[in-house]
């Protein structure tokens, strides 16, 4: 009597169709996983860029605020140019070839009792800050070329808080010293994003 053998189909391995189906499934899973990782990497890069941009905005507004808060507010010692409009003795609006500039007379960062001239201006590529060499007496040296602090800024708008009048344009004629200053930076394509800082003037 011959021994019983199982059918030939029971001894066979995976068929070619089954192997191809498994490989296709693995390829699909790998593709989905790769796309997920790629999107995760893109999201991380976008968040990092946003955080860096937000930090640049905060640093620029912080530096501008510090310059204004340190501005000179005693008796006039450095006469403004003829086309300048004085906000206080240490804050002036100047008319430049590329628009208005905010000029600030403030102590030198070195703390040696010297003074320097600082100018903030919006140029075609963004917000610039320029400072001049420190000096002990007027006329203070003019500012140097400066540095781009915040790209993409299209406009810098200033308003003054005047007691009895409320908010007025910084170019308005003043009869009393303003008590506050509002700075608004407009940035990006229309509709522009606006960043505002309100400061109390000394």
């Amino acid at each position: 009597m011959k021994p019983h053998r199982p059918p030939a189909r029971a001894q066979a391995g995976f068929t070619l169709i089954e192997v191809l189906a498994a490989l296709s499934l693995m390829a699909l899973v790998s593709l989905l996983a790769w796309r997920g990782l790629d999107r995760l990497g893109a999201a991380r890069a976008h968040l990092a860029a946003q955080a860096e941009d937000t930090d640049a905005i905060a640093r620029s507004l912080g530096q501008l605020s510090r310059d204004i808060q340190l501005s000179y507010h005693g008796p006039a010692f450095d006469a403004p140019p003829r086309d300048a409009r004085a906000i206080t003795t240490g804050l002036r609006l100047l008319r430049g070839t590329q628009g208005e500039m905010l000029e600030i007379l403030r102590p030198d960062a070195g703390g040696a009792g010297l003074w320097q001239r600082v100018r903030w201006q919006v140029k075609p590529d963004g917000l610039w800050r320029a400072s001049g060499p420190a000096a002990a007496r007027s006329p203070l040296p003019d500012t140097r070329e400066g540095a781009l602090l915040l790209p993409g800024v299209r406009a810098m708008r200033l308003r003054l808080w005047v007691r009895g009048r409320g908010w007025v344009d910084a170019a308005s004629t003043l009869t009393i010293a303003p008590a506050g200053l509002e700075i608004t930076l407009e940035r990006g394509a229309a509709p522009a994003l606006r960043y505002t800082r309100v400061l109390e003037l000394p």
Side-chain angles (χ1 to χ4, degrees):
M1 185 177 186
K2 294 182 179 181
H4 174 73
R5 292 183 180 180
R9 183 172 179 81
Q11 293 181 345
F14 293 108
T15 64
L16 179 59
I17 294 177
E18 291 172 334
V19 171
L20 291 176
L23 290 175
S24 299
L25 183 60
M26 290 176 61
L28 179 61
V29 171
S30 299
L31 178 62
L32 292 175
W34 177 82
R35 285 186 176 178
L37 290 174
D38 184 57
R39 289 179 182 174
L40 180 60
R44 284 182 177 174
H46 179 70
L47 289 175
Q50 276 193 328
E52 186 176 345
D53 190 60
T54 302
D55 189 49
I57 295 168
R59 285 198 312 269
S60 300
L61 281 172
Q63 180 64 62
L64 177 54
S65 300
R66 179 167 175 77
D67 284 343
I68 292 171
Q69 289 169 342
L70 290 175
S71 63
Y72 176 75
H73 57 276
F77 75 95
D78 192 282
R82 285 185 300 175
D83 60 345
R85 181 175 295 276
I87 297 174
T88 65
T89 51
L91 290 177
R92 299 104 172 253
L93 275 180
L94 306 182
R95 182 75 63 177
T97 56
Q98 299 185 19
E100 286 185 336
M101 295 181 289
L102 179 63
E103 181 177 83
I104 304 166
L105 308 182
R106 55 154 288 176
D108 172 50
L114 304 178
W115 297 85
Q116 67 177 157
R117 191 186 307 272
V118 175
R119 285 179 182 161
W120 288 82
Q121 181 182 18
V122 174
K123 295 184 180 181
D125 54 352
L127 182 65
W128 283 68
R129 180 185 186 270
S131 59
R137 59 182 64 86
S138 66
L140 297 177
D142 203 357
T143 57
R144 295 167 177 162
E145 184 177 348
L148 174 63
L149 291 191
L150 191 58
V153 175
R154 297 168 47 198
M156 177 175 62
R157 308 196 186 282
L158 305 174
R159 293 198 305 168
L160 302 172
W161 177 262
V162 181
R163 291 184 178 90
R165 293 178 60 185
W167 289 109
V168 299
D169 187 86
S172 302
T173 301
L174 302 177
T175 55
I176 60 173
L181 173 64
E182 179 192 74
I183 310 161
T184 300
L185 300 179
E186 295 184 0
R187 189 166 184 248
L193 297 174
R194 290 179 172 85
Y195 305 92
T196 301
R197 181 72 60 91
V198 177
L199 302 172
E200 182 180 3
L201 292 178

